[in-house]
Amino acid sequence: MSLLSDLINLNLSDTTEKIIAEYIWIGGSGLDLRSKARTLPGPVSDPSELPKWNYDGSSTGQASGEDSEVIIYPQAIFKDPFRRGNHILVMCDAYTPAGEPIPTNKRHNAAKIFSHADVVAEEPWYGIEQEYTLLQKDISWPLGWPVGGFPGPQGPYYCGVGAEKAFGRDIVDAHYKACLYAGINISGINGEVMPGQWEFQVGPAVGISAGDELWVARYILERITEVAGVVLSFDPKPIKGDWNGAGAHTNYSTKTMREDGGYEVIKSAIEKLGKRHKEHIAAYGEGNERRLTGRHETADINTFLWGVANRGASVRVGRDTEKAGKGYFEDRRPASNMDPYVVTSMIADTTILWKP
């Protein structure tokens, strides 16, 4: 195994200028990540310098066998924390050979919204709190839980320390550092209320970059859990009963919200979100009805409610924002399995472009 480890960690810069680019895209479920690697003649820093590529869409549920070719367009580059050196991770989106975005390509429409002049002028900032659950391989039961049984009730696990409270911290810390190495603006981590559940935060990120960074952060986490022999779940309610679900709370502000008088802009934006509550819920992740029950720090899925410092609301405003009269708000409705391209662009569309 030492030879294998040595070869995996081989420094290619001593012998060649060639680099490895790992192309990443979203598969047919809209949540599964796929990737494959190619050799390039030298270092690359701009996605426009990278070649387009293709894959067999019939094997990912995105094309028929009779016309299976799907084209991936490089959109964002990150440093590769696994191969290191000048090697890169490349976030891509997917198109037909004729250049039309395929149905699972949600980035294309998001990019159109974020390139709208009114949205550009507002410089939308996002901070996404990605919750997830680590599961024991083969049995799909949370890490640290007794097989076929349950741990003690919730209470000691949130931000907990100790072998009986924190399960999988090595994976979490490895992911934290790998994201920082990659150039992702990961801003923190913490243990969550349910044991075996964790959270990382990405942001502040502007516009389309929030989606790019969150998807690549998810990819890196998938790769690390693959090595650790642990299963990663983004199910919004992985365990039935009196256990917290998993969300992707999305913090949001615009330029006018961050300026003096911004609190009135925030309240106006929240009012617009309330008027489109059903449309947002429909786009905020599969299985969210199992999570948004009005219990476990959620509002009922059929009710729109906002408040200051209220973690049982659909949208929460912080005390600091209320006091300063400007700042940001938190949309607590998105599920952990949401598509960040959809959620971030929809919030911008509703609060900036939509005219009730």
Side-chain angles (χ1 to χ4, degrees), residues 285-352:
E286 295 293 325
N288 214 6
E289 71 283 351
R290 293 182 283 116
R291 168 181 163 261
L292 297 181
T293 62
R295 299 183 62 217
H296 304 111
E297 301 181 48
T298 70
D300 181 82
I301 194 168
N302 297 309
T303 304
F304 183 85
L305 172 71
W306 79 275
V308 176
N310 183 357
R311 294 184 183 275
S314 311
V315 173
R316 180 183 69 89
V317 174
R319 291 283 183 204
D320 289 346
T321 293
E322 181 189 41
K323 184 177 179 180
K326 59 184 176 181
Y328 70 97
F329 65 81
E330 174 193 44
D331 191 339
R332 298 177 60 81
R333 296 171 296 172
S336 51
N337 60 4
M338 63 81 158
D339 186 327
Y341 293 135
V342 173
V343 169
T344 57
S345 61
M346 194 172 192
I347 293 173
D349 181 56
T350 295
T351 60
I352 301 171

Side-chain angles (χ1 to χ4, degrees), residues 58-318:
S58 68
S59 295
T60 62
Q62 293 168 298
S64 66
E66 294 76 27
D67 187 13
S68 66
E69 192 167 283
V70 178
I71 314 300
I72 40 179
Y73 293 21
Q75 299 291 359
I77 291 176
F78 299 86
K79 292 174 67 178
D80 187 338
F82 303 102
R83 297 186 176 106
R84 306 180 193 178
N86 290 320
H87 310 300
I88 55 176
L89 304 176
V90 184
M91 190 65 207
C92 305
D93 58 354
Y95 297 81
T96 67
E100 295 295 321
I102 66 172
T104 50
N105 179 356
K106 307 303 182 184
R107 190 188 192 279
H108 179 79
N109 185 64
K112 289 199 294 184
I113 291 171
F114 284 122
S115 64
H116 190 288
D118 292 349
V119 177
V120 172
E122 282 287 2
E123 297 176 19
W125 291 4
Y126 298 90
I128 303 174
E129 306 170 28
Q130 176 69 72
E131 294 179 337
Y132 60 93
T133 308
L134 299 174
L135 304 177
Q136 300 171 57
K137 192 177 178 183
D138 300 327
I139 61 172
S140 296
W141 201 238
L143 198 66
W145 290 35
V147 177
F150 296 87
Q154 295 182 154
Y157 310 108
Y158 172 69
C159 298
V161 178
E164 77 284 14
K165 304 183 195 76
F167 310 116
R169 191 184 296 277
D170 52 348
I171 292 170
V172 175
D173 273 352
H175 176 248
Y176 195 176
K177 291 182 178 179
C179 284
L180 287 171
Y181 179 92
I184 292 166
N185 194 21
I186 185 170
S187 47
I189 55 145
N190 61 268
E192 268 303 329
V193 177
M194 189 184 86
Q197 187 183 87
W198 294 82
E199 173 185 301
F200 66 89
Q201 304 94 33
V202 167
V206 181
I208 197 72
S209 65
D212 290 336
E213 292 190 28
L214 190 72
W215 272 116
V216 175
R218 285 175 171 178
Y219 172 82
I220 291 171
L221 185 55
E222 287 270 21
R223 288 280 305 273
I224 291 170
T225 54
E226 172 190 319
V227 173
V230 171
V231 175
L232 172 63
S233 172
F234 291 113
D235 190 305
K237 185 71 174 179
I239 302 296
K240 295 178 181 179
D242 196 18
W243 303 98
N244 274 35
H249 301 159
T250 302
N251 299 276
Y252 171 72
S253 71
T254 62
K255 185 178 180 181
T256 50
M257 291 177 191
R258 298 187 292 269
E259 295 173 344
D260 290 343
Y263 194 50
E264 292 303 314
V265 181
I266 288 171
K267 289 193 289 185
S268 175
I270 293 172
E271 183 180 348
K272 292 170 80 173
L273 287 173
K275 290 178 179 178
R276 296 186 76 187
H277 178 62
K278 288 184 178 179
E279 293 96 319
H280 278 256
I281 287 295
Y284 272 16
E286 295 293 325
N288 214 6
E289 71 283 351
R290 293 182 283 116
R291 168 181 163 261
L292 297 181
T293 62
R295 299 183 62 217
H296 304 111
E297 301 181 48
T298 70
D300 181 82
I301 194 168
N302 297 309
T303 304
F304 183 85
L305 172 71
W306 79 275
V308 176
N310 183 357
R311 294 184 183 275
S314 311
V315 173
R316 180 183 69 89
V317 174

